[in-house]
Every structure is written in C-alpha cells, then in structure tokens.
Amino acid sequence: MGKTLIFGHKSPDTDTICSALVYANLKNKLGLDAEPARLGEVNKETQFALDYFGVDAPQFIEKVADDVERVILVDHNEFQQSVDNIKDVRIAEVIDHHRVSNFETKEPLYFRAEPVGCTATILNKLYKENGVEVEKDMAGLLLSAIISDSLLLKSPTCTQEDVDAAHELAKKADVDLEKYGLEMLQAGADLSDKSPAE
Amino acid sequence: MGKTLIFGHKSPDTDTICSALVYANLKNKLGLDAEPARLGEVNKETQFALDYFGVDAPQFIEKVADDVERVILVDHNEFQQSVDNIKDVRIAEVIDHHRVSNFETKEPLYFRAEPVGCTATILNKLYKENGVEVEKDMAGLLLSAIISDSLLLKSPTCTQEDVDAAHELAKKADVDLEKYGLEMLQAGADLSDKSPAE
Ligand SMILES: [Mn+2]
Ligand SMILES: [Mn+2]
Ligand SMILES: [Mn+2]
Ligand SMILES: [Mn+2]
C-alpha cells in the first residue's frame, strides 16, 4: 500500500493538528505508512502544546501530491474545510465529531464520527480498540486537544467521555490537568509576540 | 429520551431487515427504547431467515411518525434510499458499509461506516464493544445477512472480517454455515409461490 496522508481542517486548531500527529503515530504502530500534514499555520496555543511535549509540527501542504495513495481526514469532513483538491483523492477514513455535510465518496470507507467534544477522545478509544498503548508525548497531545475544544472541560459540547479521557490522559502525560490546561489556553490567548518561555 | 426507530433502505434485503432487528435488540439491552421498522416488503430469502430463527418481521412504515424522537439508519445512508421524510427527522446514528453520498445532518451524530461486506459484521463488533452477548436467534439473523450480502462468502466485497464473523455466528446460531446458507439463498431464488415448507 502506498503513502497515506492524515490531516485536519484549514485554519488548524489544536485538535486538528494533534489528531493528525497522533493518528499517524497509531497508524505507524499498526504498520501503515502514514504521515501527518497541516493545511495552515500552527497557532500559539498549539505550538505551546507541541513544545511542551517535544513534538514537531506536521508538514504544511497546499494540496495532496500525486504520490499520495489515500488520505485520512481528522476533525472535519466538509469538503470546503478540507484540502483544495479533496475531490481528486481517495478518502480512506474520516475520524470526526462534527455534523456530516458536503461530504461524499465514490467507494466505501471507514467513517467514524461520534457526538463527543473532541476528535482526540475518539482517537483515545481507537488506541484501546487496537490494543496499542498511548505513549507519554501522544497522551499529552490528545489531552491538549481535549482541553482546547472543551475550554478546560467547561464548554457545552464537552461530554462525560471527554472528561474521562482527559483525566486518563493527564495521568499518562504526567501533567496536572488544571495547571497545564490554563497555561496552554493562556499561551493561545497571548496577543503579544512573546514566546511562553519569555 | 423518546422513541428511536431503526430501519434500513427501501426495497429491503436481508442485511437491511436483519440489521434493523438486531440493532434494536442491542439498543434495548443497553436500555434504549428502540423499535425496528422496514420501508418495504420482506423478500422470500429474508422471510426464510426470519422463519428459521423464529423472529417476526419489523413493522412497515411509510414515513416516520411524529412521536418518534430520533432515527437510526442501518445498511444505507443516501437519502434517496431512505424514508421519504428523512430530512424532517433527527438522525442519531448510521451503521453502514456503503460509500457516503447524499447525506447530511444538522448536528453531530454517531456515524459508523466500515469498508466490509455487510452491516451485520459491524453490528457483531458493536455487541463486543458494548460487552453484550449475541443470543442464538440474533446470531442467526446476523449470519443470514452476511450470507446474503456476500453470496455465501464468495462475492468480491466480502472481507476477512465478514468471513470470521460468519463462522463465529454460525456456531452461536447452531447451524451448518454451508448447508443453511444454500437453503436460504435457494429460498430467495425460488420464483414459484411455494413456501419453503412445501
Ligand atoms: Mn477543529
Ligand atoms: Mn475538534
Ligand atoms: Mn442492503
Ligand atoms: Mn448490506
């Protein structure tokens, strides 16, 4: 099987970037040649999370290259939020937590949407279903995505599943959920050009 | 939570009828008020399976009634294959193995599509994921659906997952896979008006 590219939506948020990175990690562990990508700039909140857990941002792509055999969409399904040439590529999977709209395929695919607050919560389940342990840095990224989408478990879209996953992942990532979460959200809210370390 | 209706596509086949019946059974065991329904006549093949395992056909509906709070689609997602007033109802879940097309929702939902040969194969996994045992009659219906969609495990859409599920379910249903499968397919191919018992 050729290369698989995994990416989230345009104007990426922390769930989109982290879910692409983490799902590529899971796919690699399952023996698939998968690479994470992004469709836009990494924002400050997301960069804080990447720096904290020592993970590089995924590659930026403007469109899916010709040598890519299949793509996996995370954290979105609507074509207008996706890569510009989405209609020309084979969509093998979608992992998402949004309504389904403006989406279609020519062939059957793995489509996993759940009405939870964050894609990362679904990915945490996929590790379990596949019997793969979530490593510390990946747990940190999944936790960061949940904190971001749920505004530290306070948004109305946050479900009990998100809350349970966040607590479980905080343990694996070895951070204090409240303390880390506030620092991360503050890093995103920081309008100055100072890096979190300054 | 109000009533949930579960149904497959128009011109129902064995997978559509059996998946509606079986998923309603699983939902009931999980404490949800769910009822199976059908959008057309039960064909002879399906009737053979229902008779064999002693299960009544689901209720026929022309449209979703006003007292139904939510619907679950099995074995289809395209609106033109679904109930006529599909755009007026809340779709809570989709369990399917076809391409996604002509489908949209206003809200997030549970959407589970997998590139396997039969909806029943996915339902067999859902029992496991929910820790519920598949009873003999329900195993028989799931098996019948797989035999039907895969033409006794011989169609090109049949995957290893379908094969494994079929063998596992034949054991639980206490039937010989080949023998039962041929009888069921023959009952469907019978163009006379004779019932299988004659
Ligand atoms: Mn997002
Ligand atoms: Mn998200
Ligand atoms: Mn069907
Ligand atoms: Mn089917």
Side-chain angles (χ1 to χ4, degrees), chain A residues 92 96-116 125 129, chain B residues 92 96-116 125 129:
Chain A
D96 194 15
H97 65 118
H98 298 95
R99 72 174 190 146
V100 177
S101 191
N102 303 306
F103 177 87
E104 66 172 345
T105 59
K106 287 187 197 75
E107 285 166 58
L109 76 163
Y110 185 87
F111 194 117
R112 179 81 170 254
E114 300 195 19
V116 292
K125 283 165 85 165
E129 290 174 16
Chain B
D96 194 15
H97 65 117
H98 297 95
R99 71 174 192 146
V100 177
S101 190
N102 303 305
F103 177 88
E104 67 172 344
T105 58
K106 289 188 194 76
E107 286 165 58
L109 77 163
Y110 184 87
F111 194 118
R112 178 82 169 256
E114 301 195 19
V116 292
K125 283 165 85 166
E129 290 173 17

Side-chain angles (χ1 to χ4, degrees), chain B residues 37-105:
Chain B
R38 61 183 165 89
L39 307 182
E41 288 299 302
V42 173
N43 69 33
K44 285 183 183 175
E45 179 195 280
T46 309
Q47 192 60 55
F48 177 89
L50 295 176
D51 291 344
Y52 194 99
F53 293 103
V55 179
D56 289 334
Q59 62 189 305
F60 172 76
I61 58 163
E62 256 186 275
K63 54 176 222 144
V64 176
D66 290 341
D67 67 329
V68 172
E69 193 179 309
R70 48 215 285 289
V71 303
I72 294 175
L73 310 187
V74 292
D75 198 38
H76 76 297
N77 67 82
E78 303 196 39
F79 280 1
Q80 72 271 28
Q81 299 169 4
S82 199
V83 75
D84 288 338
N85 61 339
I86 186 69
K87 286 191 177 169
D88 307 326
V89 299
R90 177 161 166 243
I91 304 168
E93 297 188 28
V94 175
I95 315 291
D96 194 15
H97 65 117
H98 297 95
R99 71 174 192 146
V100 177
S101 190
N102 303 305
F103 177 88
E104 67 172 344
T105 58

Side-chain angles (χ1 to χ4, degrees), chain B residues 9 13-16 19 75-76 96-98 116-120 145 149:
Chain B
H9 52 75
D13 55 18
T14 301
D15 189 24
T16 261
S19 289
D75 198 38
H76 76 297
D96 194 15
H97 65 117
H98 297 95
V116 292
C118 186
T119 304
D149 269 12

Side-chain angles (χ1 to χ4, degrees), chain A residues 2-192:
Chain A
K3 193 162 73 172
T4 300
L5 216 53
I6 305 180
F7 49 84
H9 52 77
K10 284 176 173 166
S11 302
D13 55 19
T14 300
D15 189 24
T16 261
I17 296 288
C18 293
S19 289
L21 286 163
V22 174
Y23 200 37
N25 170 278
L26 174 58
K27 286 294 188 185
N28 290 338
K29 285 191 186 289
L30 295 172
L32 191 80
D33 179 13
E35 284 178 18
R38 63 183 164 89
L39 307 181
E41 287 300 302
V42 173
N43 69 33
K44 285 184 181 173
E45 179 195 279
T46 308
Q47 193 60 55
F48 176 89
L50 294 175
D51 291 344
Y52 195 99
F53 293 103
V55 179
D56 288 334
Q59 61 189 304
F60 171 77
I61 57 163
E62 259 187 270
K63 54 175 218 141
V64 177
D66 290 337
D67 66 328
V68 172
E69 193 179 310
R70 47 215 288 288
V71 303
I72 293 175
L73 310 187
V74 292
D75 199 36
H76 76 297
N77 66 81
E78 302 197 38
F79 280 3
Q80 73 271 26
Q81 299 169 4
S82 199
V83 74
D84 288 337
N85 61 338
I86 187 69
K87 287 192 177 170
D88 307 325
V89 299
R90 177 162 166 243
I91 305 169
E93 296 189 26
V94 174
I95 315 290
D96 194 15
H97 65 118
H98 298 95
R99 72 174 190 146
V100 177
S101 191
N102 303 306
F103 177 87
E104 66 172 345
T105 59
K106 287 187 197 75
E107 285 166 58
L109 76 163
Y110 185 87
F111 194 117
R112 179 81 170 254
E114 300 195 19
V116 292
C118 186
T119 303
T121 300
I122 307 169
L123 293 181
N124 190 43
K125 283 165 85 165
L126 288 179
Y127 271 84
K128 289 177 195 181
E129 290 174 16
N130 285 286
V132 178
E133 195 58 45
V134 185
E135 282 159 8
K136 184 181 169 179
D137 55 347
M138 295 297 122
L141 297 189
L142 290 176
L143 173 66
S144 302
I146 297 174
I147 290 167
S148 175
D149 270 12
S150 72
L151 296 171
L152 242 175
L153 312 182
K154 285 175 189 71
S155 92
T157 57
C158 184
T159 69
Q160 189 59 42
E161 276 196 65
D162 301 298
V163 173
D164 293 345
H167 286 287
E168 181 188 318
L169 291 161
K171 237 178 240 170
K172 288 189 184 168
D174 198 21
V175 296
D176 180 276
L177 174 56
E178 285 287 325
K179 186 170 172 294
Y180 171 75
L182 278 174
E183 278 180 50
M184 190 196 82
L185 292 175
Q186 275 160 7
D190 182 10
L191 297 175
S192 80

